[in-house]
Amino acid sequence: MSAKSEAKENGPDSKPMLGNRLFEGHKKYELTEETTCGVWFLRGDFLQRFANQKSYVFLYGLMGLILSAAYSYFNGTITTIEKRFQIPSQTTGIISVGNDISTLLVGAIITYFGGKGHRPRWMAFGLYTVVLFCLLNALPHFLYGPGDDALSLTMEYGGSTIDHNATQDALEKFHSSSLCKAKIESDDGPEAEGSSAPAIILFISQVISGIGGSLYFTLGVAYMDDNTKKSQAPVLVSLSYFIRMLGPALGYTLSSLCLKWYIAPTLTPKIGNGDPRWLGAWWIGWLLLGFIMFVVSSLLGLFPHTLPKAHYRRQISKMSNKSQVEEPDTKASVQDMIVTFKRLIQNKALMCTNGASIFFFFGYMPYWIFMPKYIEIMYKTSASEASLVTGAIGLVFSALGILAGGAVITKYKPKARSMALWNMTVAAISAVGLLSYTALGCPYTHDPVGEIQNGTVNYNSQCNADCHCDYVKYTPVCMNGNPYISPCHAGCKSYVTFENGSKIFTDCSCGQNQTLDGISLPSIAKAGPCKADCYKYFYSFLAVLCFLKFSGSTARTSNFLISVRCVDEKDKPASMGLGSFLLSLFAFIPSPIFFGYLIDTTCLVWGKTKSGKGNCWLYNAESLKYVLNVTASSFVFVGLLFDLMVWYYVKDVHIFDAPEEGIHEVATEKELTILKDGAAKQREAELIDDRKPDEGEP
């Protein structure tokens, strides 16, 4: 029944049972302070038109898309940041867990109090901290610039006014410093560029973002579930997840585009983006993401405390079930918070679900953070190409899997045990799939030429013993199909530059070319790494990756429904806050640090500075393939065991057939109107009965 026809039927003087004003929009519901859109002077019928489930799901998903894009953008640019500021992978892992540290410290507490208040405004407040996170991430570039190494690889190096003589002198000095020398001057060793300050700034930005991220992920989905019929929850949750999962695709694609530009876009680089020394414009995307996030988070904060339709449905439910005593919601307090968390910890189904998530995320975390690095190392792709493939292809399959999972659950409405069984199946597929990565490496990733001494590789061999290569920067060359760390390590004493800018290094003592007549000539090394044809193996890896992305994401909706249905409705925000706390403590914080350390153990070539060790320039791909994938698969398998316990404990959990929703779960608008009129007549009779003693009746 439309709003106009209802007004005609009830008469011009008819009023709703609650509230004192009406909103004439798509439907007519009472409006109170709790159900009114906007804040301060930003109120009105125009905003009220968007106070519905569809608008919220779209905007919440859009915000999640941007938020996920920001986190994946950081992952997509991580190798460039490491090269620019000489940061090891273990330090990068510590930086990436900054947001989880703040979630660990204040996430559960602030989520509890936020769940008792105006959730959309709490979310908007939190998301403003993520805007600050974006700006702080771009700050190191504006403080420290592109760096001397990046400037030395440009045509304009030497000043804003191009001086060709100065440029040539700078380039000559740069290349001659990487050649074999009979002696080394005291100032040949590179100084430590910058300091630890860039890493500290990046870490602080991550810590700040953890507040906003925890509020968004916990309060946002709880607000959606509370304002939605349980029969519609799966499709809406999966839809919001679908929109949100497109965020990493956007983030990686944006990082790919930005990394195609040189770190100093106004300068002309002398190398291509396939060169290991290439530094892309990693900082540009943060400015764009911060602006968009500020706009969308402001709109999200305009939603009311409760959506009008959900508020109206609850009032009808109360009047049609008067005999049912409703437990009043307690006010937020420290004592109630302790009681609430104690009640949740004793919930076996909830804790086993959290345990399964902890081990699953622990195993998958290195692929989310270090996947572009892994693809670069294993299949010799550029940073731009690795980010594009990781985002635009792999994560699209994740989004499709979420949609498929939500659609199946909505149509067939499986029981909790059936959902738990599917979660077990997905965990088993994931564990086997990650283990299969060990057979999908590229066999042509040759390591640089060196001598094994005491179990370690020493690249200062007899042929370059007198070249003083300790502080030479990583400038790979290829000679006779064998890669060398630098012309110095190949024993090259001079070089020739051609008109097209290409170079060859000559008089290389670590190799010889033989003519057909058996006459030895001075060997020649070509600038750049040796070419490796890894695309055939890369496509096989990509196929398995997409399958795992799709299958794994089909369990997202089922896992969420189990986690929110196994607790009381009043404990829903607190349970999600507790889950975020446990995930941060046992998965999100230790996993990047642990796997960052494992990745660093496979490093072959460390950058050296006068102040110590810099970032890793080259990894042992064969060792990395086994160390990373076997370890990650083991953690996912342990998560499978927790899923088995979840299957046992959720036997009494109801996903759809919630008795408290009663008739209004399937009632039409006309039936709701009849309930409303009947309840009004009943209330009127009660008021007459209350007045009888005053009229002197016995």
Side-chain angles (χ1 to χ4, degrees):
M1 180 181 296
S2 65
K4 292 183 179 179
S5 60
E6 184 179 355
K8 289 181 180 179
E9 182 175 332
N10 295 337
D13 297 330
S14 63
K15 294 182 179 180
M17 294 171 294
L18 299 174
N20 53 14
R21 66 188 185 96
L22 297 176
F23 167 60
E24 297 289 345
H26 177 64
K27 293 183 180 296
K28 184 172 75 174
Y29 301 112
E30 51 162 341
L31 290 186
T32 63
E33 184 66 24
E34 183 178 358
T35 58
T36 302
C37 266
V39 59
W40 295 317
F41 62 91
L42 295 176
R43 298 177 185 269
D45 289 351
F46 175 77
L47 288 177
Q48 201 65 33
R49 295 176 185 275
F50 300 99
N52 53 65
Q53 295 174 356
K54 294 180 180 179
S55 298
Y56 176 78
V57 169
F58 172 76
L59 200 60
Y60 176 77
L62 180 62
M63 187 66 246
L65 182 147
I66 303 169
L67 187 61
S68 301
Y71 289 130
S72 60
Y73 183 83
F74 177 82
N75 297 337
T77 57
I78 199 168
T79 55
T80 301
I81 294 174
E82 288 179 353
K83 292 178 184 177
R84 167 61 188 91
F85 298 109
Q86 302 181 18
I87 301 175
S89 293
Q90 187 175 5
T91 303
T92 306
I94 296 175
I95 292 173
S96 65
V97 303
N99 60 337
D100 299 300
I101 291 177
S102 58
T103 300
L104 175 67
L105 296 177
V106 300
I109 298 175
I110 198 171
T111 299
Y112 166 79
F113 285 99
K116 298 284 186 178
H118 196 293
R119 298 180 192 177
R121 293 178 187 172
W122 273 87
M123 280 190 289
F125 164 74
L127 291 170
Y128 287 148
T129 65
V130 186
V131 175
L132 181 59
F133 153 78
C134 293
L135 300 180
L136 285 177
N137 277 336
L139 183 61
H141 175 78
F142 295 99
L143 292 179
Y144 298 98
D148 293 339
D149 290 344
L151 292 176
S152 67
L153 298 173
T154 62
M155 296 291 294
E156 298 86 352
Y157 183 75
S160 57
T161 302
I162 301 177
D163 184 344
H164 293 285
N165 293 328
T167 301
Q168 186 64 28
D169 291 342
L171 292 174
E172 292 289 341
K173 181 179 178 181
F174 172 77
H175 289 294
S176 61
S177 64
S178 64
L179 295 176
C180 178
K181 297 181 179 181
K183 63 177 182 177
I184 186 169
E185 291 79 6
S186 60
D187 60 346
D188 279 342
E191 296 180 0
E193 190 173 324
S195 62
S196 60
I200 295 175
I201 294 175
L202 295 174
F203 177 77
I204 293 175
S205 70
Q206 291 280 347
V207 172
I208 293 175
S209 73
I211 300 174
S214 61
L215 287 174
Y216 169 83
F217 289 114
T218 56
L219 297 185
V221 74
Y223 181 85
M224 181 193 309
D225 191 63
D226 288 344
N227 289 275
T228 304
K229 295 181 181 179
K230 285 185 169 55
S231 60
Q232 298 176 351
V235 66
L236 292 179
V237 170
S238 62
L239 179 61
S240 67
Y241 277 164
F242 170 77
I243 300 175
R244 196 168 76 194
M245 282 303 297
L246 296 178
L250 175 63
Y252 282 116
T253 303
L254 180 62
S255 67
S256 175
L257 295 175
C258 292
L259 293 179
K260 286 183 179 179
W261 296 339
Y262 200 56
I263 189 171
T266 58
L267 303 180
T268 306
K270 294 181 65 65
I271 59 175
N273 61 7
D275 193 294
R277 294 166 294 170
W278 175 273
L279 293 178
W282 60 274
W283 53 275
I284 293 180
W286 290 119
L287 304 180
L288 179 63
L289 289 170
F291 173 75
I292 298 176
M293 191 175 297
F294 176 79
V295 175
V296 178
S297 58
S298 299
L299 295 176
L300 193 62
L302 297 178
F303 274 88
H305 183 280
T306 306
L307 293 180
K309 186 175 181 179
H311 180 76
Y312 178 70
R313 190 166 57 243
R314 290 175 186 173
Q315 299 305 322
I316 294 298
S317 176
K318 290 178 182 179
M319 287 181 282
S320 60
N321 297 279
K322 287 193 61 179
S323 59
Q324 182 178 355
V325 179
E326 181 180 5
E327 185 178 354
D329 189 18
T330 57
K331 293 184 178 180
S333 64
V334 176
Q335 183 178 2
D336 179 68
M337 180 182 66
I338 296 175
V339 173
T340 300
F341 286 137
K342 182 179 180 180
R343 182 167 58 246
L344 293 174
I345 292 174
Q346 295 174 347
N347 189 321
K348 295 180 180 179
L350 176 65
M351 297 309 294
C352 288
T353 300
N354 289 330
S357 299
I358 286 171
F359 282 96
F360 185 85
F361 285 128
F362 198 105
Y364 258 100
M365 186 60 61
Y367 301 100
W368 292 331
I369 296 179
F370 300 113
M371 180 58 81
K373 175 193 282 283
Y374 181 83
I375 294 176
E376 287 182 57
I377 297 170
M378 202 62 59
Y379 302 101
K380 301 304 179 183
T381 64
S382 66
S384 174
E385 187 177 8
S387 294
L388 179 63
V389 169
T390 304
I393 299 179
L395 290 172
V396 168
F397 278 83
S398 295
L400 293 177
I402 288 176
L403 273 186
V408 170
I409 293 175
T410 302
K411 181 177 181 179
Y412 295 103
K413 294 181 173 57
K415 294 183 179 180
R417 273 199 160 181
S418 298
M419 292 184 181
L421 183 62
W422 176 246
N423 290 347
M424 292 172 55
T425 304
V426 168
I429 294 174
S430 298
V432 174
L434 295 181
L435 198 60
S436 71
Y437 285 168
T438 58
L440 299 176
C442 178
Y444 302 122
T445 54
H446 300 298
D447 295 332
V449 175
E451 296 179 357
I452 300 178
Q453 299 176 355
N454 299 325
T456 61
V457 181
N458 182 14
Y459 299 103
N460 296 318
S461 55
Q462 292 182 355
C463 65
N464 60 28
D466 297 327
C467 293
H468 305 283
C469 304
D470 287 343
Y471 290 101
V472 172
K473 294 183 181 296
Y474 180 69
T475 51
V477 296
C478 185
M479 182 168 57
N480 298 332
N482 296 319
Y484 290 83
I485 296 175
S486 70
C488 180
H489 289 85
C492 303
K493 298 177 177 61
S494 60
Y495 68 94
V496 177
T497 303
F498 298 96
E499 293 182 359
N500 60 0
S502 62
K503 290 182 177 62
I504 60 171
F505 296 89
T506 60
D507 296 331
C508 303
S509 59
C510 291
Q512 287 185 343
N513 290 330
Q514 300 290 330
T515 66
L516 294 176
D517 297 332
I519 301 175
S520 298
L521 294 176
S523 57
I524 296 174
K526 184 180 179 181
C530 295
K531 294 188 178 298
D533 186 11
C534 296
Y535 280 97
K536 179 177 68 174
Y537 304 94
F538 176 59
Y539 293 145
S540 299
F541 167 80
L542 188 60
V544 176
L545 171 69
C546 292
F547 173 74
L548 293 181
K549 292 279 188 179
F550 180 85
S551 61
S553 58
T554 58
R556 290 285 298 274
T557 304
S558 58
N559 188 68
F560 164 77
L561 290 174
I562 290 175
S563 63
V564 297
R565 296 289 185 264
C566 67
V567 299
D568 294 335
E569 185 171 346
K570 64 180 180 179
D571 293 338
K572 196 181 305 178
S575 69
M576 301 191 72
L578 176 63
S580 297
F581 171 83
L582 295 176
L583 285 174
S584 298
L585 179 62
F586 296 110
F588 294 153
I589 291 178
S591 179
I593 299 174
F594 173 74
F595 281 102
Y597 167 77
L598 284 184
I599 293 174
D600 280 345
T601 60
T602 65
C603 182
L604 292 174
V605 182
W606 285 101
K608 282 187 176 182
T609 65
K610 288 183 177 180
S611 61
K613 185 170 65 175
N615 65 297
C616 180
W617 279 103
L618 192 66
Y619 294 88
N620 186 328
E622 191 69 15
S623 298
L624 176 63
K625 181 174 62 175
Y626 288 98
V627 169
L628 179 65
N629 296 316
V630 173
T631 306
S633 178
S634 301
F635 281 103
V636 175
F637 179 77
V638 176
L640 169 62
L641 301 180
F642 276 90
D643 276 326
L644 178 61
M645 289 187 284
V646 173
W647 175 85
Y648 176 79
Y649 286 119
V650 297
K651 55 186 176 181
D652 297 325
V653 174
H654 299 284
I655 302 295
F656 294 100
D657 52 341
E660 69 273 10
E661 291 197 0
I663 187 173
H664 73 276
E665 180 69 33
V666 294
T668 64
E669 188 174 349
K670 184 175 181 180
E671 289 170 337
L672 291 176
T673 303
I674 294 174
L675 284 173
K676 169 184 171 181
D677 294 341
K681 293 179 180 178
Q682 184 176 359
R683 176 177 293 185
E684 184 179 356
E686 291 174 352
L687 292 175
I688 294 175
D689 291 339
D690 292 339
R691 288 196 301 267
K692 285 182 179 179
D694 296 335
E695 295 173 358
E697 295 184 9

